[in-house]
Amino acid sequence: MAVAWKKKLLLGPDEVTPSREGWEVVGVFNPGAAVIEGKVVLLVRVAERPCEARPGYVALPRWDAAGGPIVDWTPSDALEPVDPRVVRMRSTGHVRLTSVSHLRVVWCGEGLAVERLDAARFTPQAEYEEYGVEDPRITRIGERYWITYVAVSRHGAATALASTRDFRSFDRHGIIFPPENKDVVLLSEPLGGRHAALHRPNPATPFSAPAMWLAWSDDLIHWGRHEPFFSGTDVWENGRVGAGPPPIRVADGWLEIYHGNRRPESPGEVGRYQAAAMLLDAANPARVLRTSGRPILEPSEPFERQGFVPEVVFPTGIVERDAKLLVYYGAGDTYTAVAEARKQEVIQSLAEA
């Protein structure tokens, strides 16, 4: 069964002020989402880079904890492009990003329009965040909102944890999944007295297809009992497969909107990103009960098919509004958008796993 989504563009780079003079925002995307006092709040990734161009050099930005965003000017002939986001050092094989990201608080009222950008920012502070903080997911557990995010540095892409009560100030809890690990989402209630998380290891040695894993914790900080549970169903997700927003509890289990990426076919490509759905067992989320088996949310609008990285729909936030779901996502690695559909339609798109 096809899902009838109503899509809406919410925020673009021109609507966000860069961190410092002489810089430009190139993307506002991949937002975490939550509801606080009845209002939808997004934590949006803001990617920026310097406007200045120097002949023969490439600007490689990073964030200095004391001075904010700075630039390493690197000779062009010392680098080779990987894709629009990444370059590789010829001498070492190490990679750098061509932009650096921080997070902004954005208030959206009922969820379908931006009301205001808050002054609050979540910026890189530690060395393990020097190349940026990215792609937050938000889960309310008790009275706090727990935020998993990607911390990028010379040590790799790790997942770290922060928390807040009001989205005005944030407490950092450090790295919870070391490099290379992304797309970590927390379940909103303990199971058997323990917390569960979905995560995506990104091994350098491709012994197998990409996979999503499950882990358990007593305190949200220390994680163990890791096990793979899903490695995709078709060619459209043969490049990457990982969690989108945190799962939501439904009558028959946990409903997860996840992303899949098709392996690039040409040098310099990133590959198409789409989203599908799965239902996980209520007591044991490592057990996949049903999946849609094919994308239910895919690039179709110009703001999804074009952009810094074209052909990208990357869901990262979800809000329930009565019988509807609001799914917040990054479009083209450039924009923040929302897709609205009836929750029952999404559930009915699932077939037996």
Side-chain angles (χ1 to χ4, degrees):
M1 174 180 174
V3 178
W5 295 99
K6 292 172 59 179
K7 296 178 178 179
K8 185 178 181 182
L9 180 62
L10 290 180
L11 192 66
D14 293 343
E15 300 169 81
V16 179
T17 304
S19 295
R20 65 186 305 170
E21 187 176 352
W23 284 58
E24 63 176 346
V25 174
V26 295
V28 287
F29 56 112
N30 297 1
V35 177
I36 180 169
E37 298 178 352
K39 302 293 186 181
V40 174
V41 59
L42 305 181
L43 200 53
V44 176
R45 174 181 171 186
V46 178
E48 53 188 356
R49 65 188 180 191
C51 298
E52 180 185 358
R54 297 182 183 179
Y57 288 84
V58 175
L60 300 181
R62 58 186 170 89
W63 198 286
D64 179 73
I70 58 177
V71 181
D72 296 324
W73 290 99
T74 306
S76 302
D77 58 8
L79 304 170
E80 58 181 355
V82 176
D83 62 42
R85 306 167 297 184
V86 180
V87 295
R88 180 181 289 112
M89 306 286 184
R90 295 184 186 276
S91 61
T92 64
H94 300 163
V95 299
R96 288 284 300 271
L97 302 179
T98 58
S99 63
V100 64
S101 296
H102 66 282
L103 309 179
R104 284 289 300 270
V105 176
V106 178
W107 294 92
C108 293
E110 292 299 309
L112 294 174
V114 170
E115 291 188 347
R116 62 184 173 89
L117 274 67
D118 204 296
R121 299 173 187 255
F122 186 91
T123 59
Q125 291 186 2
E127 180 185 287
Y128 60 79
E129 298 170 339
E130 64 180 333
Y131 297 161
V133 292
E134 305 177 352
D135 303 352
R137 272 74 161 199
I138 305 171
T139 303
R140 182 171 181 172
I141 303 175
E143 296 302 313
R144 298 188 73 85
Y145 298 87
W146 295 87
I147 304 159
T148 55
Y149 64 96
V150 180
V152 190
S153 73
R154 70 191 73 184
H155 305 296
T159 294
L161 182 69
S163 65
T164 183
R165 292 181 182 272
D166 55 14
F167 289 90
R168 295 181 177 87
S169 62
F170 301 88
D171 296 318
R172 279 172 156 85
H173 306 286
I175 290 175
I176 57 172
F177 288 85
E180 293 281 325
N181 207 309
K182 292 185 172 184
D183 301 321
V184 176
V185 296
L186 307 176
L187 273 64
S188 57
E189 59 188 61
L191 303 178
R194 307 190 80 186
H195 298 284
L198 313 183
H199 64 104
R200 179 173 71 87
N202 188 24
T205 307
F207 284 114
S208 64
M212 296 168 62
W213 289 53
L214 183 76
W216 297 88
S217 173
D218 293 323
D219 59 4
L220 296 172
I221 307 297
H222 305 92
W223 294 86
R225 290 177 57 195
H226 300 271
E227 59 177 315
F229 71 91
F230 183 76
S231 59
T233 59
D234 206 346
V235 67
W236 70 270
E237 51 193 348
N238 64 4
R240 295 180 179 89
V241 61
I248 60 171
R249 190 68 170 86
V250 296
D252 298 326
W254 295 94
L255 178 64
E256 168 62 18
I257 308 293
Y258 73 96
H259 73 266
N261 161 259
R262 187 184 183 103
R263 185 182 298 116
E265 298 178 348
S266 302
E269 290 184 353
V270 175
R272 197 172 204 239
Y273 277 85
Q274 304 173 91
M278 64 174 65
L279 184 69
L280 307 177
D281 185 79
N284 177 19
R287 183 180 171 217
V288 180
L289 302 178
R290 291 184 281 161
T291 72
S292 60
R294 58 184 177 82
I296 62 170
L297 183 62
E298 51 193 312
S300 60
E301 302 295 327
F303 58 83
E304 301 163 341
R305 305 203 65 189
Q306 303 167 13
F308 194 69
V309 179
E311 300 291 338
V312 172
V313 164
F314 192 81
T316 43
I318 193 166
V319 167
E320 295 185 74
R321 286 296 197 200
D322 299 321
K324 294 183 178 180
L325 296 177
L326 302 181
V327 176
Y328 297 89
Y329 64 98
D333 267 18
T334 304
Y335 304 100
T336 288
V338 61
E340 178 184 11
R342 296 185 62 82
K343 180 166 67 175
Q344 193 58 32
E345 282 191 16
V346 176
I347 293 173
Q348 289 173 351
S349 74
L350 304 172
E352 294 296 326

